Amino acid sequence: MLTSPAHAVHHGDREIETLEEFDAVVSARGTLSGFRVQAVDLTDRTRELLGTDTAGAVFLGCRMRPAAAEKVRGDGALVLPPVPGLPFDPYRGHLYTPDDLFASLDKGYEATPDALAYTWFQRTRADGDILASMLRAVHDDSMSDALDELLRRARVVGVMGGHAMARGTEEFRGAARLGRALSQAGFTVATGGGPGAMEAANLGAYTAPYDDAMLDEACRLLASAPSFTPSITDWARAAFEIRARWPRGNHSIGIPTWFYGHEPPNAFASHIAKYFANATREDGLLARCNAGVVFLPGAAGTVQEIFDHATPNYYESRGEPTPMVLVNRAHWTEKLPAWPLLRSLARERSMEDRITLVDRIEEAPEALKRLGG
């Protein structure tokens, strides 16, 4: 179950992230004192701002008219105004949707907010400008805050795997069936949000309300653009055509990064937390997988994720260890022998009973259940 961000204030938070929440708080309480108003356009709420106590309030990236801004500053509120000229909002109150990141796809991927944010990142990442680094940090913190609000009561299973898995392959269909089975079992599927195995798992979760034939047809249609190379535009359009044909997909989470800018986000995750800092993104993704993680065959990134997840399980720094299911015995014992090391690490620790290796992807859901996910 995902928690709607629109209910944040009702959970005792003092964050206001929509105009509806702003109106509700002003009407019910008659004060904004102590509230944090995040990325809300208040240009049409001048009268309310002039007539409401805002002492101790914080306004993060809120547009407002000069008279209103002068008044709330006079009350003692902290006002951090919008930053002009950015292709993203550092104070954003909600996660992205595929439509947000792929807006203007009809003009080509290069015109989308996702591509423009990556271009800005490439231009500023090494210039030593403290403003740019601060904006990236504020944006990433906003993503984490929104992610926590969304997943407040969710049982999250992570599906990790490489970006190289091509659409149209049996491996892609298998990863999609895994995401579908997990979603139908009531879990929220979370992935790294990119192409390949990540897209397949998000696609599978998306197809959960439909029958098996829909998943098979979707996989067949997607195979017309098997990879995000050479054309991200064609790859993304194929996904949006699936979404248009079957518009009532189930929710899932994608957590990608602009650090790997050559990897676009996939369009099947309903909520996307995209980060500039890969370390923050990686740790945050795994930390939120409170019902376990399934590791599909991958390369360096997936190996890193295995041991990033194993470390807090080893030390129990996040509490009781969570299940880890590695899929494909030959891959994890011969090609990249992470399993023998993981098993040795877990020996005589409480995590020993929370790890397993299975041969086939179809075995993963039952293995996760057996381990307590």
Side-chain angles (χ1 to χ4, degrees), residues 163-168 172 195-196 199 222-236 238 262 264:
H163 68 262
M165 183 184 288
R167 294 167 171 175
F172 187 92
E199 180 188 44
L222 287 172
S224 64
S227 173
F228 64 97
T229 60
S231 172
I232 295 176
T233 302
D234 292 345
W235 175 84
H262 62 286

Side-chain angles (χ1 to χ4, degrees), residues 64-87:
M64 60 181 81
R65 300 194 187 279
E70 182 180 357
K71 183 266 181 186
V72 299
R73 285 193 179 99
D75 282 351
L78 176 63
V79 179
L80 299 180
V83 181
L86 291 178

Side-chain angles (χ1 to χ4, degrees), residues 87 101-119 228 230-234 237:
L101 290 175
F102 285 103
S104 302
L105 183 63
D106 58 323
K107 300 175 184 176
Y109 173 72
E110 295 74 17
T112 65
D114 186 65
L116 294 174
Y118 177 60
T119 299
F228 64 97
S231 172
I232 295 176
T233 302
D234 292 345
R237 282 175 176 164

Side-chain angles (χ1 to χ4, degrees), residues 127-180:
D127 65 5
D129 183 355
I130 191 171
L131 175 62
S133 62
M134 183 196 75
L135 292 171
R136 292 195 296 269
V138 170
H139 170 275
D140 286 0
D141 190 62
S142 297
M143 287 289 101
S144 295
D145 181 65
L147 199 54
D148 286 339
E149 291 174 357
L150 185 72
L151 297 178
R152 189 161 294 178
R153 292 189 296 271
R155 299 171 66 220
V156 182
V157 172
V159 179
M160 309 297 146
H163 68 262
M165 183 184 288
R167 294 167 171 175
T169 62
E170 185 53 40
E171 291 78 12
F172 187 92
R173 286 189 288 273
R177 288 193 291 269
L178 172 63
R180 175 180 169 83

Side-chain angles (χ1 to χ4, degrees), residues 11-35:
H11 288 292
D13 294 342
R14 299 189 71 80
E15 295 177 9
I16 296 174
E17 297 167 348
T18 67
L19 206 54
E20 291 75 18
E21 289 177 13
F22 177 88
D23 290 341
V25 169
V26 170
S27 174
R29 299 181 180 234
T31 180
L32 291 166
S33 179
F35 278 83

Side-chain angles (χ1 to χ4, degrees), residues 33-296:
S33 179
F35 278 83
R36 284 82 172 96
V37 190
Q38 187 177 353
V40 180
D41 187 345
L42 299 174
T43 52
D44 292 333
R45 294 298 185 274
T46 300
R47 180 173 59 83
E48 288 80 359
L49 289 169
L50 292 178
T52 303
D53 176 28
T54 58
V58 178
F59 294 86
L60 301 170
C62 297
R63 290 179 173 82
M64 60 181 81
R65 300 194 187 279
E70 182 180 357
K71 183 266 181 186
V72 299
R73 285 193 179 99
D75 282 351
L78 176 63
V79 179
L80 299 180
V83 181
L86 291 178
F88 63 94
D89 182 354
Y91 303 110
R92 185 182 178 91
H94 302 113
L95 299 183
Y96 295 101
T97 67
D99 290 330
D100 292 332
L101 290 175
F102 285 103
S104 302
L105 183 63
D106 58 323
K107 300 175 184 176
Y109 173 72
E110 295 74 17
T112 65
D114 186 65
L116 294 174
Y118 177 60
T119 299
W120 177 89
F121 180 41
Q122 287 291 90
R123 190 175 69 250
T124 62
R125 65 191 296 183
D127 65 5
D129 183 355
I130 191 171
L131 175 62
S133 62
M134 183 196 75
L135 292 171
R136 292 195 296 269
V138 170
H139 170 275
D140 286 0
D141 190 62
S142 297
M143 287 289 101
S144 295
D145 181 65
L147 199 54
D148 286 339
E149 291 174 357
L150 185 72
L151 297 178
R152 189 161 294 178
R153 292 189 296 271
R155 299 171 66 220
V156 182
V157 172
V159 179
M160 309 297 146
H163 68 262
M165 183 184 288
R167 294 167 171 175
T169 62
E170 185 53 40
E171 291 78 12
F172 187 92
R173 286 189 288 273
R177 288 193 291 269
L178 172 63
R180 175 180 169 83
L182 292 171
S183 186
Q184 289 178 332
F187 294 109
T188 295
V189 173
T191 78
M198 298 170 278
E199 180 188 44
N202 287 129
L203 166 66
Y206 186 88
T207 69
Y210 297 94
D211 60 19
D212 292 342
M214 179 267 170
L215 175 58
D216 292 339
E217 180 67 1
C219 287
R220 185 186 70 79
L221 294 171
L222 287 172
S224 64
S227 173
F228 64 97
T229 60
S231 172
I232 295 176
T233 302
D234 292 345
W235 175 84
R237 282 175 176 164
F240 277 98
E241 287 171 6
I242 299 298
R243 287 166 49 91
R245 182 168 174 179
W246 292 281
R248 297 184 303 279
N250 205 4
H251 62 261
S252 66
I253 306 296
I255 307 181
T257 174
W258 281 294
F259 183 81
Y260 297 131
H262 62 286
E263 291 186 19
N266 77 73
F268 293 109
S270 56
H271 301 82
I272 302 173
K274 191 151 190 179
Y275 287 82
F276 288 106
N278 185 52
T280 305
R281 165 254 190 176
E282 198 79 70
D283 185 68
L285 168 57
L286 293 166
R288 290 172 175 84
C289 295
N290 55 17
V293 183
V294 178
F295 297 91
L296 303 179

Side-chain angles (χ1 to χ4, degrees), residues 310-368:
T311 300
N313 273 356
Y314 181 90
Y315 289 111
E316 298 186 53
S317 55
R318 294 180 186 139
E320 186 178 347
T322 52
M324 301 177 66
V325 179
L326 277 61
V327 176
N328 192 313
R329 188 174 301 273
H331 186 86
W332 294 122
T333 62
E334 298 172 16
K335 184 175 181 179
L336 294 174
W339 172 250
L341 177 55
L342 179 64
R343 187 174 57 181
S344 297
L345 191 69
R347 188 169 296 124
E348 298 182 358
R349 310 286 295 193
S350 59
M351 68 180 284
E352 186 172 18
D353 295 330
R354 295 298 180 93
I355 65 171
T356 194
L357 173 67
V358 299
D359 284 316
R360 297 179 300 108
I361 200 166
E362 291 80 8
E363 301 174 71
E366 180 58 35
L368 195 67

